[in-house]
Amino acid sequence: MESVIIATKNSGKAKEFEKLFLPKGFAVKTLLDYPELEDVEETGSTFEENAILKAETIANTLGVRVIADDSGLEIDALDGRPGVYSARYAGPEKNDENNIDKVLDELQGVPESERTARFCCALAMAEPGKETLTVFGTCEGRILEERRGSNGFGYDPIFLVETKGKSMAELASDEKNKISHRANAIRKLDELLKEREERHE
Ligand SMILES: O=c1[nH]c(=O)c2ncn([C@@H]3O[C@H](COP(=O)(O)OP(=O)(O)OP(=O)(O)O)[C@@H](O)[C@H]3O)c2[nH]1
Ligand SMILES: [Mg+2]
């Protein structure tokens, strides 16, 4: 089976990419399979910039095609925070639990109608000698007042998917993978790749 390399060390993302790429006939490798590679510093100010940084750095190091995902949560009442800082929101004590606690603290007293938010996912596909492709996917929702469910990762337990009446962490992985920001971005990448193939590039 052909394989695709995703430049991530996040095991939650890795699991989702495995499920999303398997039906397309690709096995997924991640940076968890390349422990010797150094972390790429996420110095960009947008999801796209960071995705390009991660994809191009690893593609140039390994000399093959690489996809990177830079993603996060934008909360309207917090002027878009945590945004590109989603993984490191709680500072030195950063982890999914502490990041969620910080968001819930900051949203204390904010009414339901003002707790709108979205997950964002930028994917960059880089290959030595080829132009890097980028796509962007989102998933709209609202921030709950407490955690619900235990599937998924990151902020999933506090992210209400209104059309389903469930938190992202209450959805089965197959359900999340139909509607998520990551799934929407992958669909766009598929389209771009089809167009590129039709142009014989
Ligand atoms: O509840 C969530 N459901 C998701 O589907 C999701 N996708 C992203 N996130 C959050 O955003 C950060 C990404 O930051 P990020 O793109 O820098 O990734 P990361 O640092 O974890 O790994 P890497 O890919 O950089 O190695 C993650 O850590 C999470 O906190 C999510 N939270
Ligand atoms: Mg990161």
Side-chain angles (χ1 to χ4, degrees):
M1 190 186 286
E2 248 192 287
S3 65
V4 51
I5 298 176
I6 314 286
T8 182
K9 287 190 173 172
N10 179 318
S11 59
K13 285 186 192 176
K15 280 195 206 124
E16 290 184 10
F17 278 112
E18 277 163 20
K19 286 214 164 179
L20 287 159
F21 274 98
L22 205 60
K24 303 181 197 302
F26 286 98
V28 162
K29 282 189 170 183
T30 67
L31 298 188
L32 302 169
D33 299 305
Y34 298 89
E36 68 281 9
L37 294 184
E38 271 181 47
D39 282 354
V40 180
E41 237 193 298
E42 295 174 15
T43 53
S45 56
T46 63
F47 297 114
E48 283 93 344
E49 279 172 21
N50 283 333
I52 292 170
L53 255 174
K54 291 189 269 191
E56 291 187 345
T57 307
I58 304 298
N60 289 333
T61 305
L62 298 178
V64 294
R65 182 169 77 178
V66 167
I67 295 173
D69 164 316
D70 201 71
S71 45
L73 179 63
E74 272 182 8
I75 301 173
D76 295 321
L78 301 180
D79 297 325
R81 293 194 312 277
V84 290
Y85 301 106
S86 292
R88 21 182 179 151
Y89 201 44
E93 305 293 314
K94 62 176 188 289
N95 60 40
D96 289 348
E97 286 308 301
N98 292 342
N99 290 340
I100 287 182
D101 283 340
K102 181 166 180 191
V103 162
L104 290 180
D105 272 358
E106 290 186 323
L107 286 179
Q108 264 192 29
V110 177
E112 207 177 285
S113 61
E114 291 169 27
R115 297 173 77 98
T116 50
R118 69 206 51 76
F119 276 127
C120 301
C121 173
L123 295 180
M125 194 179 95
E127 191 170 352
K130 282 197 179 180
E131 201 185 328
T132 299
L133 298 180
T134 59
V135 289
F136 194 71
T138 59
C139 177
E140 295 289 328
R142 204 146 42 80
I143 305 301
L144 292 162
E145 286 182 6
E146 51 191 37
R147 293 165 170 83
R148 276 167 54 178
S150 55
N151 299 327
F153 68 98
Y155 298 90
D156 282 342
I158 57 164
F159 188 86
L160 178 72
V161 182
E162 286 176 283
T163 50
K164 304 272 182 193
K166 287 182 180 176
S167 82
M168 202 65 118
E170 290 176 313
L171 295 182
S173 64
D174 287 353
E175 288 180 284
K176 176 177 176 185
N177 285 339
K178 280 185 198 140
I179 56 138
S180 77
H181 46 313
R182 191 159 290 110
N184 289 333
I186 289 181
R187 274 191 281 271
K188 289 190 187 170
L189 185 61
D190 273 347
E191 281 166 28
L192 273 191
L193 289 174
K194 264 187 222 138
E195 286 169 20
R196 187 151 99 171
E197 228 169 75
E198 280 162 14
R199 295 197 304 266
H200 305 289
E201 281 175 31

